[in-house]
Amino acid sequence: MNSLRKKRLSLLLLMLLLLSGCYGGIENGSVVDGTDTSEKEISISWWGDEIRNEYTQELLDQYEQLHPGIRFLPVPLGKEDYGEYLAVTAAAGECPDIMLMDDEFLETYAGNGTLADCRNLFMENSKETGFFLDSEIWELGKKEGIQAGIPVSLTMPVLYCRPGKLEEAGVELKKDMDWEDLAQASRSFQKKTGGPGIVWGHESSELLVSWMEQNDAPLFEEGRINLNQDSKNKLTSFFSLCGELMKSGGMTPPENPEPEEITQETEKEEKEGAFYLGDAEDHRISKEDDDIEVLPLPGGQPKADLFFALSAALTQDEKKAAADFLIWLLDDEYAVERAGLERGIPASEKARRLLEESEKLPAADKSLLQLYRQTQERTPGFEKEPEKRKDIDRIYQEVIYKLYQGSCSPGRAADVFYQDVQELFTEQEATDESIGKAG
């Protein structure tokens, strides 16, 4: 174990000791003249940069002022350290009362008794507070048969377009593009400028997922993989399109998924592209560029981005106190405006409305909210991440790189992707069945 990792783990263990001593939702105080003077301490952990840390701490301070009986014990960390921190504290049964989670974290801790089932708790509070999330959005936080996460924010795949560059190149920008329009605009842009039309590192299968959705062959349905013979034909068409665009320079090529096998690669001059694939997380960076317009990715659907989860170790009263705070954090006008879109598109309809009507929200942020609303009006629904999404992404990376290298045809790429993903879930079903029999 290297020294840096030792230092990290030492820090995490120190935090664990602090938690075990005073963070676990402990009530301090006594009864004086028939009055309960106890103070509820709520530990809350999150990851993020200085911007997130600053406004989150400000909101914690504000809530403490509004509720003198509440005191927060914050644990802000970087994303890499956060994963180790959750693993250490969960293993010791001393995780924070409130934890920020993404889909991968939620999947990891939902089935091992770490997280509380929150749905009924929040539904009960909603009668008093008016807190409301669409039932489909609630479903995004459901794991292992429980409501493991309270959806905080949503993200959606978008295209960050440079309309000025397209105009200079004499390429028409259609507002309601489908994949055929996008491919044609990318080809034209490359021929006129020599730069790529679509800039994408292929780090995930997002491009494929959106393409399949638009072509009526969704890769996922209800959080499960959805592959059949028609899927294989559509996969072949997708890889044919990508192969053609990458070969002509109309789309940036993928990185080698196993770079350690590369000895040396010559650096190439990067030229500006026309369309950059991103999501709501990239939106903060895009706002700094005046020549950026946000467009929907054809076939792209919103999906959950962040969640809050509660520790299963909390008493009912402690859960109620934590839930009251989260409802305020996600729905209160001051809290919503202070966070803005930093965490992503708010999962709460009330919060989205508040931001759309807010004079404090930048125009670029309002355009993203409007784009989300238009996308939902056109194709209602959300993409529910399946298990093993990262494994699917890995398979996609390997296949698309081989296609780019010319070591397989589009048809062969489709076959390999189809077979490898099918095997992935066949193994999972066999494991689940074995566990079920053992139980």
Side-chain angles (χ1 to χ4, degrees):
M1 183 182 290
N2 61 43
S3 59
L4 179 59
R5 186 170 176 80
K6 283 182 178 178
K7 288 180 180 178
R8 281 181 180 158
L9 287 176
S10 296
L11 176 62
L12 293 170
L13 289 170
L14 175 60
M15 290 178 177
L16 174 57
L17 290 173
L18 289 172
L19 276 171
S20 63
C22 62
Y23 276 28
I26 299 172
E27 293 189 6
N28 298 314
S30 58
V31 177
V32 179
D33 296 330
T35 303
D36 186 358
T37 64
S38 63
E39 182 180 72
K40 285 188 173 65
E41 293 181 338
I42 301 175
S43 55
I44 176 171
S45 63
W46 72 89
W47 73 87
D49 58 15
E50 286 305 311
I51 293 175
R52 180 174 293 174
N53 292 345
E54 181 181 342
Y55 78 73
T56 302
Q57 185 60 60
E58 183 181 312
L59 292 174
L60 297 181
D61 293 341
Q62 174 72 6
Y63 193 81
E64 285 181 344
Q65 291 179 20
L66 294 172
H67 302 82
I70 298 291
R71 186 166 73 91
F72 289 104
L73 300 163
V75 185
L77 293 167
K79 183 67 181 285
E80 183 182 347
D81 290 336
Y82 192 77
E84 294 184 15
Y85 168 75
L86 284 183
V88 171
T89 54
E94 293 289 351
C95 62
D97 303 333
I98 302 174
M99 296 157 277
L100 186 64
M101 298 250 166
D102 60 15
D103 199 79
E104 186 179 5
F105 285 141
L106 207 64
E107 193 78 53
T108 300
Y109 294 103
N112 64 5
T114 298
L115 307 182
D117 189 345
C118 299
R119 182 65 184 270
N120 290 338
L121 178 69
F122 277 79
M123 291 300 288
E124 289 169 6
N125 281 12
S126 70
K127 296 173 184 176
E128 303 172 10
T129 64
F131 179 72
F132 173 80
L133 292 182
D134 185 271
S135 60
E136 285 188 85
I137 293 179
W138 271 118
E139 283 295 312
L140 299 175
K142 208 169 196 179
K143 304 287 183 182
E144 301 294 334
I146 67 169
Q147 189 66 47
I150 302 98
V152 173
S153 60
L154 307 166
T155 187
M156 59 185 290
V158 294
L159 288 172
Y160 293 107
C161 168
R162 295 183 180 276
K165 297 291 182 184
L166 287 167
E167 186 176 356
E168 288 175 15
V171 178
E172 180 186 2
L173 173 61
K174 294 185 177 180
K175 296 299 181 183
D176 295 317
M177 289 190 299
D178 58 18
W179 267 102
E180 186 177 339
D181 297 326
L182 177 59
Q184 186 54 48
S186 299
R187 294 186 192 101
S188 299
F189 183 83
Q190 195 281 327
K191 287 178 182 177
K192 297 285 183 68
T193 70
I198 300 173
V199 179
W200 172 234
H202 301 274
E203 299 92 349
S204 77
S205 54
E206 196 65 69
L207 209 65
L208 171 60
V209 171
S210 300
W211 193 90
M212 296 288 281
E213 186 71 34
Q214 189 205 290
N215 285 274
D216 300 320
L219 201 58
F220 310 132
E221 282 192 348
E222 298 298 323
R224 295 180 178 276
I225 198 71
N226 178 44
L227 289 175
N228 50 45
Q229 186 57 48
D230 183 51
S231 302
K232 191 180 290 189
N233 296 334
K234 297 291 175 62
L235 286 168
T236 301
S237 298
F238 171 80
F239 287 119
S240 295
L241 175 64
C242 287
E244 178 251 309
L245 287 174
M246 290 189 293
K247 186 176 181 180
S248 68
M251 177 190 288
T252 50
E255 297 287 338
N256 189 338
E258 299 179 355
E260 64 274 9
E261 296 181 2
I262 300 177
T263 53
Q264 186 72 34
E265 282 195 353
T266 305
E267 288 190 10
K268 297 180 181 179
E269 180 185 355
E270 291 187 6
K271 294 187 177 182
E272 283 192 323
F275 303 99
Y276 292 74
L277 180 63
D279 57 26
E281 293 177 6
D282 301 317
H283 183 64
R284 191 173 65 196
I285 299 172
S286 79
K287 289 190 296 183
E288 299 171 3
D289 193 331
D290 292 335
D291 185 33
I292 286 286
E293 186 171 338
V294 186
L295 303 174
L297 179 66
Q301 281 192 306
K303 59 183 178 181
D305 187 17
L306 297 175
F307 305 86
F308 276 118
L310 302 184
S311 168
L314 297 180
T315 66
Q316 196 62 26
D317 283 347
E318 290 166 347
K319 289 177 185 175
K320 174 71 163 55
D324 286 342
F325 163 68
L326 289 179
I327 289 172
W328 178 86
L329 184 70
L330 302 179
D331 245 17
D332 177 79
E333 182 175 359
Y334 172 79
V336 168
E337 285 191 334
R338 186 64 184 87
L341 297 190
E342 194 280 329
R343 289 188 299 249
I345 300 166
S348 162
E349 169 67 17
K350 178 182 175 182
R352 293 195 297 272
R353 290 287 186 190
L354 283 170
L355 289 176
E356 286 173 342
E357 296 168 4
S358 173
E359 296 180 357
K360 299 178 182 178
L361 196 72
D365 284 353
K366 289 190 177 183
S367 70
L368 183 61
L369 290 172
Q370 184 179 17
L371 184 63
Y372 167 81
R373 195 170 294 284
Q374 290 170 349
T375 300
Q376 282 294 286
E377 289 172 355
R378 186 166 52 249
T379 52
F382 301 89
E383 177 192 325
K384 190 171 184 180
E385 292 273 58
E387 292 182 20
K388 298 185 176 291
R389 175 61 188 266
K390 288 195 177 296
D391 292 314
I392 296 171
D393 291 343
R394 174 185 52 76
I395 292 170
Y396 170 80
Q397 286 179 296
E398 293 170 355
V399 169
I400 198 76
Y401 185 74
K402 288 177 181 177
L403 178 68
Y404 167 65
Q405 290 288 298
S407 59
C408 73
S409 66
R412 178 58 182 159
D415 286 341
V416 171
F417 181 85
Y418 183 95
Q419 291 166 7
D420 286 359
V421 172
Q422 286 281 45
E423 288 176 8
L424 185 69
F425 282 87
T426 300
E427 291 172 4
Q428 179 65 42
E429 287 171 5
T431 301
D432 291 345
E433 185 178 345
S434 175
I435 293 171
K437 288 180 179 179

